[in-house]
Amino acid sequence: MENWPTPILFSGFEIGSSLQTGAKLAWTSEKNPIRKAYELAGGYVGSRHASWDQTAVLAAIRDPLLYWDVESTGYCSVGSNGSNQWKESPDKDHSYLIKKIPDSQLEEVIDDLMANVRELPQVELILPKNKAHFEIGIPIEMEAVASDTNGQII
């Protein structure tokens, strides 16, 4: 990294560790390439887990300032044992992400991108009544908005 020729933006452990994404992949087609990757990585489809890779990709494909603050004074120093730390000087072409928006808002952005929910019908959760809590074995009933499915109930 000492002689890397282009700017580097770091998405640190703290950026992805508290974000829990992936649940919406259960609603996608089995042909969704991200869903397939999750299946091949150990069957994580429908479960939520930390999102280190997703935050790095999001920062690369969209303006990171939409979601994070960016510190650009200093550089990332890598030790001989592979550990790293941020040093304020000398100033190099390194920067890192700093949390700016609530985790829940960022989780929604990442989950929607992975699942591409814009192509799915809008659904309303009917059961369970407590929308914030789901348990294995408890039936989940959803109804699609009629305009999205030509009146069909899912």
Side-chain angles (χ1 to χ4, degrees):
M1 230 175 4
E2 189 69 29
N3 298 311
W4 192 260
T6 60
I8 303 172
L9 174 62
F10 296 92
S11 178
F13 177 85
E14 72 284 358
I15 295 297
S17 62
S18 63
L19 296 174
Q20 299 293 306
T21 60
K24 288 184 180 180
L25 291 173
W27 305 345
T28 65
S29 162
E30 292 181 8
K31 294 181 181 180
N32 179 313
I34 299 170
R35 176 185 172 136
K36 192 63 169 173
Y38 273 60
E39 288 171 351
L40 295 171
Y44 291 104
V45 172
S47 64
R48 297 164 43 89
H49 57 91
S51 305
W52 298 287
D53 295 337
Q54 293 88 337
T55 57
V57 170
L58 183 59
I61 64 170
R62 291 199 174 160
D63 180 356
L65 294 173
L66 294 171
Y67 311 106
W68 300 278
D69 289 322
V70 176
E71 174 59 56
S72 59
T73 301
Y75 73 104
C76 179
S77 173
V78 179
S80 60
N81 64 355
S83 65
N84 64 76
Q85 64 178 343
W86 193 260
K87 295 190 176 181
E88 294 195 16
S89 67
D91 192 17
K92 296 187 179 182
D93 225 356
H94 296 182
S95 55
Y96 66 91
L97 301 175
I98 301 169
K99 286 188 178 198
K100 177 166 77 172
I101 66 173
D103 284 352
S104 60
Q105 195 175 345
L106 198 48
E107 288 168 347
E108 188 75 17
V109 168
I110 291 170
D111 266 338
D112 285 353
L113 287 168
M114 290 194 310
N116 194 16
V117 296
R118 288 185 274 297
E119 293 184 9
L120 297 175
Q122 298 295 309
V123 295
E124 176 186 344
L125 187 64
I126 298 170
L127 288 174
K129 299 288 185 202
N130 179 355
K131 297 180 181 183
H133 183 72
F134 299 98
E135 294 182 46
I136 294 175
I138 303 293
I140 297 174
E141 199 173 309
M142 294 185 207
E143 185 173 324
V145 175
S147 63
D148 293 336
T149 62
N150 296 322
Q152 298 175 20
I153 303 289
I154 297 177

